[in-house]
Amino acid sequence: MSAHPALDARARDRTIARLETEAFDLAVIGGGIGGAGIAREAARRGLRVALLEARDFAAGTSSRSSKLIHGGFRYLAMGDVALVRSTALERKAVHRIAPHLAEPRWMLVPARSRAGLVKFQVGLTAYEKLGAVEGADLHRTWSAQDLAREEPLLDAVRYHWACVYREYVTDDARLVLANLRSAAADGAAVLCHAPVQAIVREGGRAAGLEARCALAGRTLRVRARAVVNAAGPWVDEVVRLESPDAPPRLHLSKGIHVVLPAERLPVHHLAILQTEDRRSIFTVPRGGAVYVGTTDTSYAGGATEWPGVTQADVEYLLAPVNRDFQVVPLRPADVVGAWAGLRPLIAEPGKAAREMSRKDEVWIGPAGVVTLAGGKLTGYRPMAAATLARAAEQAGLRLADPGEEPPLAGGDFAGGLGALEAALRREAPDLSGDAAVRLARLYGSEAREVLALGSQPLAPGAPVVAGEIDWAVGHEGACRLEDVHYRRTRAALYDPAARDAVVEPAALRMAALLGWSDARREEEIAAMRARLAADLAFGEEAR
Ligand code: FAD
């Protein structure tokens, strides 16, 4: 069995009882990568930790990223050398503790001229030095012949060369879950669907928080010596619970991705393409799909879980794809999935969103709440360590020596992903090669346990297997159909074959596990179908 104890959705009452009765050292608000990383680090260092998430774990920005653990090659051009160095080094660290969630892939940077090629080579050499990249992972140059073999759809008239360098593809929501489950293994009490509504004070100092269980509709009070606000785009809202007149510190920037069926864009490698306004976007082939992103536009609507995808956003992303790849022109109607997220950037007045730094910042409010804002998924470990250090100093908490960092949940396997996939196929001979690849990347060493719960496809032709639903509910705290579909199996995002087909069978299985009535099951299905349709109903930006 997994060394990491379950976040069992059926044990909510037990978790709530713990939250109400125990005295915690640290209470974390927000279960995105920021909060999950802090909870894991704090629990590993001997603190008694509580974490409360308003919606599902990773329901905010941490399920909407480009899913790259990367040093941000493009930020070199912005002069952010320190940020690039720390995040480029982080790639190795994440790969070490969660090899299934940091898969090295080639990123192709096409060049139109020799001068352009040399510019990329110089930039990549600097980037690789900062990130201590070595050996087989160093960048290389592809000639026109190499390109014809490796990426035959790339426009050969426009591009005669390309540089390729290593990027690491992750699954953002599952990285959050792996951190939360590791925190729980070290004793953290972790609850989703529980928005924090007030900061509890004693003698003017933050001494805990009050939250509402959104499923049971009741309030709970958590006592803690230190409180951390890791609410991502909602950081300003949570700051106002502590000091109602605090001015906003964030600038929200919207980024969208669109998903295309792999048959419509059969490319092999990740690629960087340039938009008309000279921004870089990525194409990322993944299973039966290729996703393309991202945009970077100021978002005035305020923090929300579902910022809309507009027709203009979609056309903006498809234009460079149609220009650079020789495919039947792709239109918005070809898009089979889409997601949008909000970057919680630290506001820099006078700058456009795309020019603002991705740096993180930690500050302490008047009642002592420690707030973390900004940053990138990639740098979550150092951000967590720095935030925790501030919180410990503030509340006089002693941090134990953490020792060597163990793997995250699912990360304890040797021999690489290839060996893991082969082992899965030996154990479940009916599993297709693609299904084994998918399961290994999503669940790592725990894929075997997932398969043991049910290896049959959830719907004909769908890559999702039945055991994933049981695993999501029993081990990863999924309470609603949306939690499973969007942030556990990820079928809503990059599995066109399963996006609609598994909704009903997944609901049936969840109903049996969670004791839903027929009416509740139908409500979940209707809400899910409405959400999936809304993703593809590209409208206008609300002003
Ligand atoms: P969130 O993930 O939003 O987490 C905050 C959580 O707090 C939410 O789940 C929210 O529900 C919860 N919350 C809010 N209010 C309350 C409350 N009152 N009580 C309890 N909980 C509350 N970074 C990379 O490294 N690589 C990439 O490829 C990359 N691509 C990106 C692409 C896009 C389009 C975007 C938008 C960002 C990208 N990023 C990337 C950045 C990265 O995704 C973010 O920096 C990161 O996910 C932010 O995490 P967070 O925990 O701060 O916020």
Side-chain angles (χ1 to χ4, degrees):
M1 268 311 276
S2 170
H4 293 91
L7 293 181
D8 189 341
R10 295 159 299 190
R12 260 184 97 76
D13 287 348
R14 269 210 308 274
T15 307
I16 291 175
R18 272 192 69 194
L19 286 165
E20 287 186 310
T21 52
E22 291 180 20
F24 292 93
D25 296 311
L26 180 71
V28 181
I29 305 171
I33 195 63
I38 293 165
R40 186 216 179 205
E41 182 67 5
R44 212 164 75 76
R45 304 201 61 177
L47 298 191
R48 292 163 300 175
V49 180
L51 180 142
L52 288 106
E53 162 56 49
R55 300 160 186 89
D56 181 24
F57 305 123
T61 310
S62 299
S63 53
R64 319 295 172 88
S65 78
S66 302
K67 308 179 199 324
L68 299 174
I69 298 290
H70 63 165
F73 174 46
R74 74 188 183 89
Y75 303 128
L76 255 190
M78 292 162 78
D80 252 338
V81 175
L83 176 73
V84 175
R85 177 184 290 116
S86 87
T87 48
L89 284 171
E90 272 306 293
R91 303 185 308 171
K92 285 189 168 183
V94 179
H95 185 256
R96 194 175 59 243
I97 59 173
H100 60 308
L101 294 172
E103 184 202 356
R105 304 266 300 266
W106 288 121
M107 173 74 86
L108 194 150
V109 196
R112 295 179 70 183
S113 64
R114 269 203 187 277
L117 182 69
V118 171
K119 193 177 112 199
F120 292 139
Q121 287 167 329
V122 170
L124 282 169
T125 304
Y127 176 67
E128 289 173 342
K129 279 214 171 84
L130 290 171
V133 179
E134 302 163 335
D137 282 343
L138 286 168
H139 77 272
R140 48 196 74 178
T141 301
W142 282 353
S143 64
Q145 277 150 326
D146 297 328
L147 281 173
R149 187 186 61 245
E150 293 285 341
E151 204 61 281
L153 289 180
L154 188 73
D155 185 345
V157 175
R158 192 173 168 89
Y159 299 111
H160 303 291
W161 306 273
C163 276
V164 289
Y165 71 101
R166 281 292 194 208
E167 282 291 29
Y168 287 66
V169 176
T170 190
D171 183 287
D172 45 9
R174 299 204 58 84
L175 185 64
V176 171
L177 289 168
N179 273 280
L180 288 171
R181 292 185 55 235
S182 297
D186 285 328
V190 176
L191 190 70
C192 54
H193 297 289
V196 171
Q197 296 182 320
I199 306 290
V200 173
R201 293 164 202 250
E202 273 170 23
R205 308 293 298 162
L209 37 87
E210 213 170 81
R212 195 175 61 85
C213 170
L215 304 183
R218 71 176 188 85
T219 302
L220 58 138
R221 210 165 223 256
V222 181
R223 283 175 300 148
R225 291 170 64 190
V227 176
V228 167
N229 167 7
W234 293 267
V235 149
D236 284 333
E237 274 178 27
V238 171
V239 163
R240 283 196 287 275
L241 298 179
E242 183 191 16
S243 50
D245 301 327
R249 299 272 281 262
L250 294 187
H251 181 101
L252 300 181
S253 149
K254 190 183 81 168
I256 76 131
H257 290 79
V258 294
V259 184
L260 297 156
E263 312 86 80
R264 292 289 281 109
L265 184 61
V267 292
H268 306 293
H269 301 283
L270 282 68
I272 295 187
L273 311 181
Q274 279 239 318
T275 59
E276 280 302 307
D277 57 344
R278 304 187 65 73
R279 286 186 55 254
S280 298
I281 61 164
F282 305 118
T283 49
V284 180
R286 180 167 202 149
V290 180
Y291 63 82
V292 183
T294 175
T295 56
D296 196 349
T297 50
S298 290
Y299 187 78
T304 169
E305 196 184 345
W306 300 108
V309 175
T310 67
Q311 180 86 4
D313 290 332
V314 177
E315 285 167 3
Y316 173 87
L317 291 179
L318 293 183
V321 178
N322 285 329
R323 182 197 62 211
D324 287 352
F325 291 109
Q326 305 210 293
V327 288
V328 176
L330 293 154
R331 290 161 303 123
D334 294 312
V335 170
V336 291
W339 67 85
L342 296 175
R343 297 177 187 83
L345 304 178
I346 307 290
E348 295 181 65
K351 282 193 179 175
R354 57 186 279 194
E355 294 158 356
M356 284 179 201
S357 166
R358 271 53 181 162
K359 278 197 231 62
D360 57 289
E361 220 172 280
V362 178
W363 70 87
I364 299 178
V369 175
V370 178
T371 294
L372 163 69
K376 303 235 347 135
L377 187 84
T378 304
Y380 82 92
R381 289 169 62 265
M383 276 176 0
T387 312
L388 179 62
R390 292 290 289 278
E393 186 185 287
Q394 168 78 4
L397 300 170
R398 204 183 87 57
L399 298 177
D401 179 347
E404 199 184 323
E405 190 174 1
L408 290 176
D412 49 347
F413 61 95
L417 278 166
L420 184 61
E421 285 150 23
L424 289 178
R425 290 201 70 189
R426 272 197 306 279
E427 284 163 35
D430 291 343
L431 210 60
S432 72
D434 288 349
V437 168
R438 177 182 166 278
L439 286 170
R441 276 157 185 69
L442 293 181
Y443 301 95
S445 56
E446 295 179 327
R448 285 194 183 94
E449 290 166 62
V450 174
L451 277 173
L453 293 169
S455 60
Q456 68 281 22
L458 209 51
V464 182
V465 298
E468 292 181 68
I469 311 305
D470 305 42
W471 186 260
V473 170
H475 289 74
E476 298 178 342
C479 300
R480 312 219 31 199
L481 187 53
E482 179 199 303
D483 304 348
V484 170
H485 206 45
Y486 273 82
R487 291 169 293 271
R488 307 296 187 287
T489 66
R490 319 255 30 208
L493 269 61
Y494 25 71
D495 282 322
R499 188 175 189 268
D500 296 311
V502 301
V503 168
E504 225 164 298
L508 269 175
R509 206 150 170 126
M510 282 191 86
L513 290 161
L514 289 165
W516 289 348
S517 64
D518 289 353
R520 168 76 194 276
R521 191 187 69 225
E522 289 309 316
E523 263 171 45
E524 291 281 334
I525 293 173
M528 190 72 278
R529 293 210 190 286
R531 182 63 253 155
L532 290 168
D535 284 354
L536 296 179
F538 312 134
E540 301 280 311
E541 197 74 88
R543 303 255 163 228

